[in-house]
Amino acid sequence: MRGRWWIPPAILAGILGGRLAGSDLPAEKLLLVAAYILAYNLGFYRWSLDFAREAARYGPARRRFAFWQAALDSSALFLLTAFSGGLASPIRFFFIGHAVLIAFLLPSRSTYGLIVLMVAGLIGLAASEYMGWIPPHALGSAARSLETSRAASQLFTEILFLATALFLSAFLTASGKKLFRQNIDSLRQRCDALTGTNKKFKTLFSMIHALGSAQHLDQVLQTVTTEFTAALEVKGVSVKLLSDEGKSLRYAAACGLPEAFIKEKVVEVDKSPLNKRIIEGEPFVTGNVTASEMFQFGEVLTEAEIRSVLFLPLNLDGRIIGILGAYCERPNRFHQEDVDFLRLAAGIVAIALENARAYEAVEKALRERSWFMMRVAHNLRAPLAAMLSILEVVCGGYLGQLNDEQREYLRRLDRRVRTMLSLISELMFLARNREEKLSAAQAATDPTLLARRIRRTFQDKAAEKRVNFMVDAPEDLPPLRGQLEVIEQMLENLISNAIKYTPTEGSVNVRFSQTNGKIRFEISDTGIGIPAADKAKLFTEFFRAENAKSVAKDGTGLGLAIVKEIVDNLDGRILAESEEGVGTVFVVDLPTAAAPEKTAATTGPSDPTQNAMEGLTRHK
Ligand code: ADP
């Protein structure tokens, strides 16, 4: 549109140029043509404002607009040719360019119609010249000077060539345009196909992602049905699971389908030839449900106005575990590419379902183990407690005086019984902790109170062993997330180990501090240390290092497992740094009560034990 504003000034420049070159161009007539072009340009500008509205940008209005532009341009070109020397005017060459433009912008019929009109106009022009109705002037003077008979044949030849050139240009442009359109269309189709594939891959990706975090069967089923319903843009998706003996199929989940659909719906495989076929491994597609009589619950499908269904077996390494179904209200909705896509997805779903089942089985086994541990521990505790009371009576001399040897044996017995009791208590704690998942997220613990209780519990014990014991806790620490008793138990286990494995005259230091929104506990000692080879096994149940066994015969190997369990449940983290013969530092970071859940375990300094051994040397 913008280029056409330059035509009137170009005509003006042409007139001035012609004048300077001494030609006899009819300036007034050409100026009138320029004014005519300017006038219809303004008209078109006014019309084009309508196209600012998106709706009018395409369609018949736009085509009409282009047609009238081409038609008026043709008329202006015709006038310019007539006033600048007739058929001999060099302006005639612009007709070819114009024909190309018309063929590019207009449909074939309008193009050839306009070209026929243009050729007719040119013939009329030639005839007028021949008859002498158009006076000669500068640009046309060369032609005028020719003999009339020769001019007539020349005029005919010129018209013939010009008309041929016009039709040929239009034809070539139209063919090029058609080819161009075809290429664009095929490109668009490919683009659409690619977008579709991309969408499907995205669905698969997001489904794998979601399935990765969904552990329970219900979660997996829910994720699968919801994701597929959205990805396939269908009414609903269902999953039927095959019973272990393979005789019945149970609707385990459905998304977007009426409640009646899955409610207590069990399909007897023997009574349903369709389902039988699918669980034998064959997919089933239909685009017209009402016409089919193979459905056991056909009336429910009709009620839900479902017209197309697609069923695929859920195949796990050749074993069918169920059926994945997609339902749509549109007839003939499913095609081969949907079958291919769902087949691929069904493989992933089958794995996810099997994983979820395995996860639930492991969870059940763990629950049963915890329950068993609790029962055994509970049943053992009562007779052991009774043994201790009996030992107290015997050792107290209430049943007669004991000699030294007897007392020594009884003392050793007492120690063993107490070790067994503490082992049982720890086992019970672990079992209960796993069962209840002590996250205690709601509770908050005051670190100052915690420090006070720790100091009170251990100062006598440390003094007894002549171990230098210090608790350093600033007063202004924010509250911790978690129950006081639980955090206290975690610290008690670490500190009692530190005192136990530190020889007389050594030192044990406990330091509380705040780092990156977390409370840090550093428990350092100058004890026997942990052999480098044993560090990896440190937090496993019943592990005790050889050097520890030689220092303290009694020990359960459960203390650190309990510590780890508590720290994990509180979204904290623990690290140990140790050097055999020098000492050990345990660093525990726990989130504060205000810190958001889960982030606590991932944020914070990269290495909590950084400088820990330096600290150890300092504490020595
Ligand atoms: P226990 O102390 O009853 O043996 P724990 O689970 O508390 O069981 O500790 C496991 C092992 O970790 C100990 O046997 C010991 O080898 C090592 N350990 C734990 N704390 C320390 C420490 N402060 N210094 C040296 N070794 C330790």
Side-chain angles (χ1 to χ4, degrees), residues 114-126:
L114 278 178
I115 288 176
V116 167
L117 280 179
M118 281 194 294
V119 172
L122 289 169
I123 293 172
L125 199 64

PDB file of all heavy atoms in Angstrom, residues 114-126:
ATOM      1  N   LEU A 114      -8.843  -9.128 -16.109  1.00  0.00           N
ATOM      2  CA  LEU A 114      -8.215  -7.795 -16.178  1.00  0.00           C
ATOM      3  C   LEU A 114      -7.233  -7.719 -17.340  1.00  0.00           C
ATOM      4  O   LEU A 114      -7.140  -6.699 -18.027  1.00  0.00           O
ATOM      5  CB  LEU A 114      -7.489  -7.481 -14.863  1.00  0.00           C
ATOM      6  CG  LEU A 114      -8.372  -6.941 -13.729  1.00  0.00           C
ATOM      7  CD1 LEU A 114      -7.555  -6.716 -12.475  1.00  0.00           C
ATOM      8  CD2 LEU A 114      -9.033  -5.620 -14.157  1.00  0.00           C
ATOM      9  N   ILE A 115      -6.516  -8.811 -17.576  1.00  0.00           N
ATOM     10  CA  ILE A 115      -5.530  -8.785 -18.664  1.00  0.00           C
ATOM     11  C   ILE A 115      -6.242  -8.669 -20.024  1.00  0.00           C
ATOM     12  O   ILE A 115      -5.799  -7.927 -20.902  1.00  0.00           O
ATOM     13  CB  ILE A 115      -4.595 -10.002 -18.584  1.00  0.00           C
ATOM     14  CG1 ILE A 115      -3.666  -9.768 -17.376  1.00  0.00           C
ATOM     15  CG2 ILE A 115      -3.757 -10.168 -19.851  1.00  0.00           C
ATOM     16  CD1 ILE A 115      -2.746 -10.871 -17.071  1.00  0.00           C
ATOM     17  N   VAL A 116      -7.385  -9.378 -20.171  1.00  0.00           N
ATOM     18  CA  VAL A 116      -8.155  -9.255 -21.424  1.00  0.00           C
ATOM     19  C   VAL A 116      -8.567  -7.793 -21.623  1.00  0.00           C
ATOM     20  O   VAL A 116      -8.427  -7.210 -22.711  1.00  0.00           O
ATOM     21  CB  VAL A 116      -9.390 -10.191 -21.391  1.00  0.00           C
ATOM     22  CG1 VAL A 116     -10.368  -9.843 -22.510  1.00  0.00           C
ATOM     23  CG2 VAL A 116      -8.940 -11.639 -21.524  1.00  0.00           C
ATOM     24  N   LEU A 117      -9.036  -7.166 -20.501  1.00  0.00           N
ATOM     25  CA  LEU A 117      -9.434  -5.748 -20.593  1.00  0.00           C
ATOM     26  C   LEU A 117      -8.252  -4.870 -21.003  1.00  0.00           C
ATOM     27  O   LEU A 117      -8.372  -3.955 -21.822  1.00  0.00           O
ATOM     28  CB  LEU A 117      -9.978  -5.266 -19.242  1.00  0.00           C
ATOM     29  CG  LEU A 117     -11.432  -5.643 -18.941  1.00  0.00           C
ATOM     30  CD1 LEU A 117     -11.844  -5.144 -17.569  1.00  0.00           C
ATOM     31  CD2 LEU A 117     -12.356  -5.042 -20.007  1.00  0.00           C
ATOM     32  N   MET A 118      -7.080  -5.153 -20.391  1.00  0.00           N
ATOM     33  CA  MET A 118      -5.887  -4.359 -20.701  1.00  0.00           C
ATOM     34  C   MET A 118      -5.529  -4.489 -22.184  1.00  0.00           C
ATOM     35  O   MET A 118      -5.245  -3.512 -22.867  1.00  0.00           O
ATOM     36  CB  MET A 118      -4.697  -4.803 -19.841  1.00  0.00           C
ATOM     37  CG  MET A 118      -4.775  -4.234 -18.431  1.00  0.00           C
ATOM     38  SD  MET A 118      -3.250  -4.371 -17.523  1.00  0.00           S
ATOM     39  CE  MET A 118      -3.010  -6.032 -17.313  1.00  0.00           C
ATOM     40  N   VAL A 119      -5.561  -5.747 -22.714  1.00  0.00           N
ATOM     41  CA  VAL A 119      -5.212  -5.968 -24.124  1.00  0.00           C
ATOM     42  C   VAL A 119      -6.219  -5.245 -25.018  1.00  0.00           C
ATOM     43  O   VAL A 119      -5.853  -4.567 -25.999  1.00  0.00           O
ATOM     44  CB  VAL A 119      -5.157  -7.481 -24.430  1.00  0.00           C
ATOM     45  CG1 VAL A 119      -4.984  -7.731 -25.922  1.00  0.00           C
ATOM     46  CG2 VAL A 119      -3.998  -8.118 -23.665  1.00  0.00           C
ATOM     47  N   ALA A 120      -7.540  -5.330 -24.638  1.00  0.00           N
ATOM     48  CA  ALA A 120      -8.570  -4.649 -25.423  1.00  0.00           C
ATOM     49  C   ALA A 120      -8.279  -3.149 -25.459  1.00  0.00           C
ATOM     50  O   ALA A 120      -8.363  -2.494 -26.508  1.00  0.00           O
ATOM     51  CB  ALA A 120      -9.937  -4.926 -24.818  1.00  0.00           C
ATOM     52  N   GLY A 121      -7.905  -2.607 -24.294  1.00  0.00           N
ATOM     53  CA  GLY A 121      -7.583  -1.169 -24.198  1.00  0.00           C
ATOM     54  C   GLY A 121      -6.416  -0.824 -25.109  1.00  0.00           C
ATOM     55  O   GLY A 121      -6.429   0.192 -25.811  1.00  0.00           O
ATOM     56  N   LEU A 122      -5.402  -1.717 -25.104  1.00  0.00           N
ATOM     57  CA  LEU A 122      -4.214  -1.453 -25.926  1.00  0.00           C
ATOM     58  C   LEU A 122      -4.555  -1.500 -27.420  1.00  0.00           C
ATOM     59  O   LEU A 122      -4.052  -0.704 -28.212  1.00  0.00           O
ATOM     60  CB  LEU A 122      -3.105  -2.460 -25.595  1.00  0.00           C
ATOM     61  CG  LEU A 122      -2.452  -2.260 -24.214  1.00  0.00           C
ATOM     62  CD1 LEU A 122      -1.577  -3.433 -23.855  1.00  0.00           C
ATOM     63  CD2 LEU A 122      -1.625  -0.974 -24.208  1.00  0.00           C
ATOM     64  N   ILE A 123      -5.453  -2.429 -27.805  1.00  0.00           N
ATOM     65  CA  ILE A 123      -5.871  -2.503 -29.219  1.00  0.00           C
ATOM     66  C   ILE A 123      -6.590  -1.206 -29.599  1.00  0.00           C
ATOM     67  O   ILE A 123      -6.338  -0.590 -30.640  1.00  0.00           O
ATOM     68  CB  ILE A 123      -6.777  -3.735 -29.467  1.00  0.00           C
ATOM     69  CG1 ILE A 123      -5.954  -5.017 -29.274  1.00  0.00           C
ATOM     70  CG2 ILE A 123      -7.399  -3.708 -30.863  1.00  0.00           C
ATOM     71  CD1 ILE A 123      -6.752  -6.297 -29.308  1.00  0.00           C
ATOM     72  N   GLY A 124      -7.470  -0.760 -28.645  1.00  0.00           N
ATOM     73  CA  GLY A 124      -8.199   0.495 -28.889  1.00  0.00           C
ATOM     74  C   GLY A 124      -7.230   1.643 -29.078  1.00  0.00           C
ATOM     75  O   GLY A 124      -7.389   2.502 -29.958  1.00  0.00           O
ATOM     76  N   LEU A 125      -6.200   1.643 -28.257  1.00  0.00           N
ATOM     77  CA  LEU A 125      -5.181   2.697 -28.313  1.00  0.00           C
ATOM     78  C   LEU A 125      -4.471   2.675 -29.668  1.00  0.00           C
ATOM     79  O   LEU A 125      -4.266   3.718 -30.323  1.00  0.00           O
ATOM     80  CB  LEU A 125      -4.170   2.447 -27.192  1.00  0.00           C
ATOM     81  CG  LEU A 125      -3.289   3.604 -26.775  1.00  0.00           C
ATOM     82  CD1 LEU A 125      -4.143   4.723 -26.187  1.00  0.00           C
ATOM     83  CD2 LEU A 125      -2.269   3.143 -25.757  1.00  0.00           C
ATOM     84  N   ALA A 126      -4.122   1.438 -30.098  1.00  0.00           N
ATOM     85  CA  ALA A 126      -3.427   1.291 -31.378  1.00  0.00           C
ATOM     86  C   ALA A 126      -4.313   1.795 -32.520  1.00  0.00           C
ATOM     87  O   ALA A 126      -3.859   2.521 -33.425  1.00  0.00           O
ATOM     88  CB  ALA A 126      -3.064  -0.174 -31.588  1.00  0.00           C
TER      89      ALA A 126
END
